[in-house]
């Protein structure tokens, strides 16, 4: 038979252990509440905070006492009060709140963004909530949106400028063509003069065709839905060289070509003309004063991806100093007056708009190599 006094002592011991365990759990919960870097709080259905952790108090700059004495709405940014009140009513009806974002105003007047997850306990008329400070994310989003707005405006301005320039230039070019039509070439006896006039006439027609393409592309917004077709590199190069033949001859530029590894590519004729024209013109423009310009143009295939390699023996540039500026709009790498910082920007833009990419290597007084990779 068990002794009654012994049983009573064992029961008291169990109760004591249970009480100690509860106190330890409460202590650990309190430590978690106080040490958490996230915002933790308990709010009442009456719209007042009942308990806040130090992270909440530190973020807003109010003491715990100040936060508990005033309605929650006093701390919420004016434009967010209405939606917050609506969602608070839903929480009271046992509808959890997940990742709700609103703004609070700190004691200093700063605005902070918080992302909330909340649940209610109807028996106690309490709402338990945890929030993360996402102010830095919102600032990054705002900066990104401002950059996108600036980029859209810049793109619109560039489009307008290109359209205006191309449109306005067509009139004087048309007048030059009209003057050629009035000339009677049969009366010109000097063969060299006749040859130059015919060459000039051909270049003028080519200029008009190029201007028409620019205007049409911008007017019809072909940049978004550009026509892609199978193009022959040699044919495009010949067409471009014909349009700047006098520049090539005058500069005594030597153009070395090897398209044996890839003779054709699926691309835009309009864009590829522009790429060849800009890269060849740049090689001539930035030629070294002590040697004739040599431009090497060749193709190759890397993992079934066609690449076009442009190399020259020009003055080159310092890659470290030029970092971040090589393909930038209005970013010139040299002090020449005719440098406008548009050519390489267009080359990169044309290539990337159709899924390609461009890399560059250059050494001062040694030359520059551009590697253009077309989309598979």
């Amino acid at each position: 038979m068990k002794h009654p006094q012994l049983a009573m002592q064992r029961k008291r011991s169990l109760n004591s252990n249970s009480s100690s365990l509860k106190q330890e759990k409460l202590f650990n919960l309190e430590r978690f509440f106080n040490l958490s870097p996230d915002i933790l709080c308990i709010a009442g259905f009456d719209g007042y905070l009942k308990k806040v952790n130090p992270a909440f108090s530190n973020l807003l700059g109010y003491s715990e006492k100040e936060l508990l004495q005033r309605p929650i709405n006093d701390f919420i940014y004016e434009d967010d009060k209405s939606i917050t009140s609506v969602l608070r009513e839903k929480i009271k009806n046992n509808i959890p709140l997940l990742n709700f974002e609103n703004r609070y105003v700190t004691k200093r007047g700063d605005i902070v963004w918080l992302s909330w997850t909340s649940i209610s306990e109807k028996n106690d008329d309490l709402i338990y909530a945890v929030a993360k400070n996402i102010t830095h994310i919102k600032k990054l989003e705002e900066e990104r949106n401002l950059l996108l707005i600036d980029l859209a405006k810049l793109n619109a301005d560039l489009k307008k400028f290109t359209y205006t320039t191309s449109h306005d230039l067509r009139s004087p070019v048309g007048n030059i063509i009209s003057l050629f039509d009035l000339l009677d070439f049969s009366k010109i006896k000097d063969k060299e003069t006749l040859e130059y006039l015919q060459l000039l006439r051909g270049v003028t027609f080519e200029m008009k065709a190029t201007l028409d393409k620019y205007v049409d592309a911008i007017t019809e917004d072909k940049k978004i839905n550009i026509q892609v077709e199978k193009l022959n590199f040699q044919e495009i190069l010949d067409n471009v060289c014909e349009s700047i033949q006098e520049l090539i001859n005058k500069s005594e530029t030597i153009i070395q070509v090897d398209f044996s590894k890839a003779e054709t590519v699926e691309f835009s004729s309009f864009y590829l003309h522009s790429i060849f024209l800009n890269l060849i013109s740049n090689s001539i423009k930035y030629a070294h004063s002590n040697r004739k310009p040599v431009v090497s143009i060749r193709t190759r295939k890397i993992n079934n991806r066609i690449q076009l390699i442009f190399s020259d023996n020009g003055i080159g540039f310092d890659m470290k100093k030029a970092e971040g500026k090589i393909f930038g709009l209005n970013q010139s790498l040299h002090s020449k007056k005719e440098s406008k910082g548009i050519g390489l920007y267009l080359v990169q833009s044309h290539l990337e708009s159709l899924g390609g990419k461009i890399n560059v290597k250059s050494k001062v007084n040694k030359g520059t190599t551009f590697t253009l990779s077309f989309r598979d």
Side-chain angles (χ1 to χ4, degrees):
M1 184 175 177
K2 292 183 179 180
H3 197 286
Q5 189 173 358
L6 186 61
M8 184 65 70
Q9 287 177 349
R10 185 174 297 171
K11 185 176 181 181
R12 286 175 182 171
S13 176
L14 289 172
N15 288 339
S16 176
N17 289 337
S18 176
S19 178
S20 297
L21 187 61
K22 286 182 179 179
Q23 288 180 354
E24 185 177 351
K25 285 183 178 180
L26 288 173
F27 175 74
N28 289 333
L29 285 173
E30 189 70 20
R31 284 197 66 197
F32 170 76
F33 195 85
N34 291 330
L35 295 177
S36 173
D38 289 333
I39 292 162
L40 303 174
C41 66
I42 302 172
F45 282 13
D46 59 358
Y48 281 81
L49 291 165
K50 305 302 179 183
K51 187 175 180 61
V52 297
N53 72 334
F56 200 176
S57 180
N58 292 336
L59 178 65
L60 295 187
Y62 291 98
S63 66
E64 182 179 357
K65 183 178 180 181
E66 289 174 316
L67 289 171
L68 301 184
Q69 285 180 340
R70 293 165 56 183
I72 299 172
N73 267 10
D74 283 3
F75 307 107
I76 298 174
Y77 185 66
E78 187 65 35
D79 292 350
D80 294 345
K81 288 182 179 180
S82 178
I83 183 65
T84 303
S85 297
V86 171
L87 293 176
R88 190 183 296 129
E89 291 303 315
K90 290 185 177 181
I91 299 172
K92 292 179 183 179
N93 293 321
N94 212 27
I95 300 175
L97 184 66
L98 303 175
N99 302 319
F100 167 63
E101 298 176 1
N102 67 355
R103 288 163 287 185
Y104 275 66
V105 182
T106 69
K107 194 170 186 177
R108 291 174 50 187
D110 298 327
I111 295 173
V112 293
W113 278 91
L114 300 177
S115 176
W116 292 94
T117 298
S118 308
I119 58 172
S120 65
E121 178 57 62
K122 294 198 74 171
N123 294 333
D124 299 326
D125 288 346
L126 293 176
I127 297 171
Y128 298 86
V130 57
K132 287 187 175 295
N133 182 1
I134 58 169
T135 306
H136 63 293
I137 297 175
K138 289 296 183 179
K139 285 183 178 179
L140 288 175
E141 288 179 359
E142 184 179 358
E143 290 173 4
R144 182 198 63 186
N145 291 335
L146 289 174
L147 285 173
L148 287 174
I149 292 171
D150 289 343
L151 184 60
K153 184 178 183 302
L154 180 63
N155 187 57
D157 290 344
L158 181 61
K159 183 175 178 180
K160 182 179 178 182
F161 171 75
T162 306
Y163 177 81
T164 303
T165 304
S166 303
H167 183 271
D168 291 350
L169 282 175
R170 284 200 299 180
S171 294
V173 171
N175 290 337
I176 295 173
I177 292 174
S178 298
L179 288 173
F180 275 115
D181 290 338
L182 294 174
L183 287 175
D184 187 353
F185 287 88
S186 64
K187 294 181 179 180
I188 301 173
K189 304 303 179 182
D190 185 76
K191 288 185 178 181
E192 188 176 3
T193 302
L194 183 60
E195 183 182 345
Y196 281 134
L197 284 173
Q198 288 175 337
L199 180 61
L200 183 59
R201 184 173 184 270
V203 171
T204 305
F205 273 103
E206 182 65 30
M207 186 186 299
K208 184 180 184 301
T210 301
L211 290 171
D212 287 342
K213 285 182 181 179
Y214 270 107
V215 173
D216 290 343
I218 297 169
T219 302
E220 298 175 19
D221 209 11
K222 289 182 181 176
K223 185 176 182 181
I224 296 175
N225 190 24
I226 195 76
Q227 183 180 353
V228 174
E229 55 188 309
K230 190 174 184 178
L231 303 173
N232 184 283
F233 283 116
Q234 188 64 57
E235 290 179 2
I236 298 293
L237 176 61
D238 290 344
N239 189 269
V240 170
C241 287
E242 185 181 347
S243 69
I244 57 171
Q245 192 61 55
E246 187 61 24
L247 177 64
I248 294 172
N249 292 340
K250 187 177 180 181
S251 61
E252 300 183 77
T253 299
I254 300 170
I255 299 180
Q256 302 170 340
V257 180
D258 180 7
F259 295 139
S260 59
K261 298 293 171 46
E263 296 180 354
T264 61
V265 68
E266 294 283 338
F267 203 66
S268 157
S269 174
F270 177 64
Y271 282 179
L272 195 56
H273 269 87
S274 178
I275 288 171
F276 271 95
L277 180 62
N278 278 294
L279 291 179
I280 294 173
S281 299
N282 271 5
S283 293
I284 297 173
K285 185 190 301 181
Y286 301 113
H288 198 285
S289 59
N290 295 334
R291 52 181 177 258
K292 292 181 180 179
V294 177
V295 180
S296 169
I297 309 172
R298 60 188 178 90
T299 56
R300 68 182 181 189
K301 280 189 176 181
I302 303 293
N303 298 326
N304 291 323
R305 188 165 188 163
I306 295 173
Q307 291 187 332
L308 186 65
I309 317 296
F310 268 83
S311 298
D312 65 43
N313 64 340
I315 59 176
F317 54 84
D318 188 320
M319 290 288 290
K320 289 185 178 180
K321 291 182 179 178
E323 188 176 1
K325 299 195 302 182
I326 298 173
F327 300 104
L329 183 60
N330 295 326
Q331 296 289 335
S332 178
L333 304 178
H334 300 283
S335 58
K336 287 179 176 284
K337 289 183 178 179
E338 62 269 30
S339 299
K340 304 300 181 184
I342 296 177
L344 292 182
Y345 169 82
L346 290 174
V347 170
Q348 184 189 51
S349 177
H350 293 335
L351 198 62
E352 291 186 350
S353 67
L354 290 176
K357 61 180 181 179
I358 183 170
N359 294 310
V360 59
K361 291 183 179 180
S362 187
K363 289 185 178 181
V364 177
N365 294 324
K366 297 292 184 181
T368 303
T369 297
F370 291 96
T371 301
L372 290 73
S373 301
F374 296 89
R375 184 177 60 186
D376 296 342

